């Protein structure tokens, strides 16, 4: 027998208080089959019902399925026998929908990160790599267990590490929030490749860095090509500067450009 029903139940269920008073079965009929089985099992162990919070799906009067967070408290007589149940139900549909969308977005983000050609790395403030995607592993031909939870310093060229550690210190001291650097990354076979590393700080509070999030691009072929081009231009310049003959260059319009 229902002794009291809050008026707010009508907003949640679509049923009026009078309808629920007149037909107690409406409450049980709102339960979905899986949840009905849960409640039936709990009834067999009354102690579990006391101050236990659980989430259920209810079917409103208009047929819409909603999520409910329910907590029940047993009321005992002087002989410590349960004589009544006091329940509180709260509509958490919006929260559940938000959690579901968040999960979908997280899954989409995971797919993007795992399928991109860019390396994606998360490191803690101790320098340990706590997340790495497949692309980053392929840069150095590593297996995950050979890199995960290792110190990033192990995979950096000593000459580049000096500059990067200075930048890391600036991030930790809140002088900067991100940095970009071209550096050499150690492959498993002992060779180095050039990568562009774009690192951002993740902070829960403005004062403290929790993680470093790093996007890494393999620029080895492009970087080497640019270096060779510069070396070639430098050799040509030296040849021209030290040549005993006069050398000039004219463009297609007949103007002297050198």
């Amino acid at each position: 027998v229902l002794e009291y029903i809050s008026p707010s139940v009508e907003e949640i269920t679509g049923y009026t208080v009078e309808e629920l008073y007149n037909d107690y079965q409406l409450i049980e009929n709102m339960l979905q089959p899986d949840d009905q089985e849960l409640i039936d099992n709990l009834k067999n162990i009354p102690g579990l019902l006391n101050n236990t919070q659980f989430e259920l799906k209810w079917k409103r009067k208009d047929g819409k399925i909603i999520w409910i967070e329910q907590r029940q408290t047993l009321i005992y007589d002087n002989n410590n026998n349960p004589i009544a149940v006091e329940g509180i139900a709260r509509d958490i549909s919006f929260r559940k929908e938000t959690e579901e969308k968040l999960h979908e977005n997280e899954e989409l983000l995971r797919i993007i990160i795992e399928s991109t050609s860019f390396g994606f790395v998360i490191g803690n403030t101790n320098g340990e790599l706590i997340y790495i995607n497949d692309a980053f592993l392929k840069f150095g031909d590593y297996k995950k267990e050979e890199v995960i939870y290792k110190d990033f310093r192990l995979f950096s060229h000593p000459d580049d590490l000096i500059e990067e550690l200075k930048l890391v210190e600036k991030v930790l001291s809140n002088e900067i929030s991100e940095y970009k650097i071209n550096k050499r990354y150690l492959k498993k076979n002992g060779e180095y490749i050039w990568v562009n590393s774009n690192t951002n700080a993740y902070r829960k509070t403005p004062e403290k860095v929790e993680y470093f999030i790093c996007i890494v691009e393999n620029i080895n072929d492009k970087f080497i090509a640019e270096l060779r081009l510069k070396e070639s231009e430098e050799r040509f310049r030296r040849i021209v500067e030290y040549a005993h003959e006069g050398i000039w260059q004219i463009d297609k319009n007949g103007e002297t450009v050198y």
Side-chain angles (χ1 to χ4, degrees), residues 60-163:
R60 283 172 44 93
K61 186 177 181 179
D62 59 12
K64 181 181 178 181
I65 303 298
I66 60 174
W67 279 94
I68 293 295
E69 182 182 83
Q70 186 169 323
R71 178 183 291 276
Q72 299 183 144
T73 302
L74 291 176
I75 299 174
Y76 298 87
D77 62 16
N78 294 333
N79 296 320
N80 204 33
N81 296 314
I83 57 173
V85 177
E86 182 182 83
I88 298 175
R90 184 163 64 97
D91 187 348
I92 58 169
S93 299
F94 180 76
R95 190 190 81 192
K96 297 295 288 188
E97 290 170 4
T98 302
E99 289 175 351
E100 184 176 346
K101 289 178 182 178
L102 179 61
H103 177 73
E104 291 174 355
N105 291 338
E106 288 175 345
E107 180 63 17
L108 177 60
L109 179 61
R110 186 193 65 79
I111 292 172
I112 293 173
I113 290 173
E114 292 300 330
S115 61
T116 183
S117 60
F118 289 87
F120 189 88
V121 179
I122 299 177
N124 61 26
T125 54
N126 292 327
E128 296 171 330
L129 306 179
I130 60 175
Y131 175 84
I132 43 182
N133 70 345
D134 288 342
F136 185 77
L137 293 173
K138 289 177 182 178
F139 290 166
D141 298 320
Y142 289 105
K143 295 180 181 179
K144 185 175 181 178
E145 58 269 22
E146 295 172 323
V147 179
I148 195 71
Y149 302 126
K150 299 294 193 304
D151 195 309
F152 85 97
R153 298 170 182 84
L154 298 174
F155 307 97
S156 301
H157 192 284
D159 294 344
D160 303 327
L161 190 57
I162 296 172
E163 179 184 355

Side-chain angles (χ1 to χ4, degrees), residues 158-202:
D159 294 344
D160 303 327
L161 190 57
I162 296 172
E163 179 184 355
E164 184 164 19
L165 288 178
K166 291 179 181 178
L167 294 170
V168 169
E169 188 58 37
K170 287 184 177 181
V171 173
L172 292 173
S173 61
N174 291 324
E175 293 182 50
I176 58 176
S177 60
E178 64 177 306
Y179 66 85
K180 296 180 181 179
I181 184 174
N182 291 336
K183 56 182 284 188
R184 282 158 287 188
Y185 171 62
L186 179 63
K187 297 179 62 176
K188 187 175 181 178
N189 63 6
E191 298 177 356
Y192 285 95
I193 61 170
W194 282 96
V195 298
N196 175 262
S197 177
N198 186 352
T199 301
N200 286 265
Y202 170 74

